[in-house]
Amino acid sequence: MPCNTLGCLNGATTGGGHLDADYVVAYTGPANAPAPPVGLPGTETPPPTQTPPPTCGPLISQNKATSASSIEAADLAPQYAVDGNAATRWSSQFNDPQWMQVDLGSSQPITRVKLDWEAAYASAYSIQTSTDGNTWTNAYETYAGDGGTDDVGVTATARYVRMNGTTRATVYGYSLWEFQVYGGCGTQTPTPTPTPTGTPTPPPGGRDAYTAIQAESFDAQNGVTVQSTTDTGGGQNITTVGNGDWSLFQNVDFGTTAAKQFYARVASGAAGGVSGLVEVRLDSRTAAPIGSFSVANSGGWQAWKTVPANISAVTGTHNVYLTFTSGQPADYVNVNWFDFGH
């Protein structure tokens, strides 16, 4: 019979004979089932690679309002990651953590997020979603980012979508050529709710007039740029603001109780004798201002103060323009945020 260095092995079989063995392998399974593949530890067949679920929704983030924890330079602001131009990008400052987010304008289904990283990418980051911009939920998280293109399947309903970088892969910041969010895959058009005859339906409100509206979240602008702010709460402000410049904020909902106050967080490092107006106009840049206040040097371009102003009573939903008027050509104001009051 076969023997090994431990001696000769044998055992009785069910037929009364003998079973000789050099070694045995034990496994669990149904009777007469074929044995699973075996091998040395570490040589087992790996599980199949999991791929994100297929998505079919449209691109819904392009040219939407954006914000970020920081920017490396004015021409690397977050709006350049949603402009559809593969040659422009957002880049953060060179420390952890950093984030960039896009405001879709309203809560809607999200099925996919695609990140096209520049050479400065995240080795650890999460995709976060929010309905209000304050409370965030992780929809995806990785600690093994390798740059390039990340195309992630996501199941969420949200207005805000954020890339929250926690660990940089390089000594530089976080940098995205494109940050793309895709919507739901539904193909059926919902049946519209009947509207009573003679009762107009206002456009849906996309922004709350009584919650701080970040100045860098404009829907369109002329003449302004975005920079990091040292004001309380961090984030960004608009800068290089002078005569003839403007920024547009669409679908601001004032509700049914009239707003009569306007507040803005501003700073100025303008030279002596340089000042100008911050004006509020509704629905058209050429409409008469409903209110305004004057700004002169506040002690520096990051010396912030909140300035109130009276406005004509406003209800309903409107597109709000901040317009800037001065008798001098020099830039005269930075704006961090604004809101309204009753």
Side-chain angles (χ1 to χ4, degrees), residues 48 62 69 94 115 167 171 219 257 271 319:
Q62 192 158 311
S69 54
F94 300 171
L115 305 176
T167 304
V171 297
D219 295 289
T257 302
N319 292 338

Side-chain angles (χ1 to χ4, degrees), residues 52 237 326:
N237 60 261
S326 173

Side-chain angles (χ1 to χ4, degrees), residues 216-310:
E216 73 275 10
S217 69
F218 48 73
D219 295 289
Q221 59 83 25
N222 177 72
V224 309
T225 56
V226 176
Q227 66 175 184
S228 298
T229 183
T230 62
D231 196 13
T232 303
Q236 298 173 301
N237 60 261
I238 60 173
T239 187
T240 65
V241 182
N243 183 54
D245 296 341
W246 54 268
S247 53
L248 166 63
F249 304 84
Q250 294 180 322
N251 295 329
V252 178
D253 187 358
F254 291 86
T256 57
T257 302
K260 298 180 180 179
Q261 290 286 317
F262 168 64
Y263 305 91
R265 187 74 167 167
V266 299
S268 176
V274 176
S275 64
L277 296 175
V278 177
E279 304 165 320
V280 182
R281 303 174 193 255
L282 300 182
D283 303 318
S284 171
R285 286 191 293 112
T286 59
I290 63 170
S292 66
F293 62 81
S294 178
V295 179
N297 189 299
S298 64
W301 292 111
Q302 292 292 321
W304 296 96
K305 62 180 181 178
T306 303
V307 181
N310 295 324

Side-chain angles (χ1 to χ4, degrees), residues 112-184:
R112 174 186 174 196
V113 175
K114 183 179 179 183
L115 305 176
D116 287 322
W117 293 100
E118 196 251 353
Y121 65 93
S123 59
Y125 72 92
S126 59
I127 300 297
Q128 300 178 321
T129 62
S130 174
T131 57
D132 60 6
N134 295 311
T135 302
W136 296 89
T137 300
N138 279 5
Y140 171 81
E141 191 169 18
T142 182
Y143 296 93
D146 58 0
T149 297
D150 291 338
D151 202 345
V152 179
V154 171
T155 301
T157 297
R159 172 174 172 174
Y160 303 90
V161 184
R162 170 183 290 187
M163 187 291 297
N164 186 47
T166 52
T167 304
R168 291 166 294 143
T170 73
V171 297
Y172 302 101
Y174 299 82
S175 185
L176 287 167
W177 292 112
E178 285 293 304
F179 181 9
Q180 297 178 323
V181 180
Y182 292 81

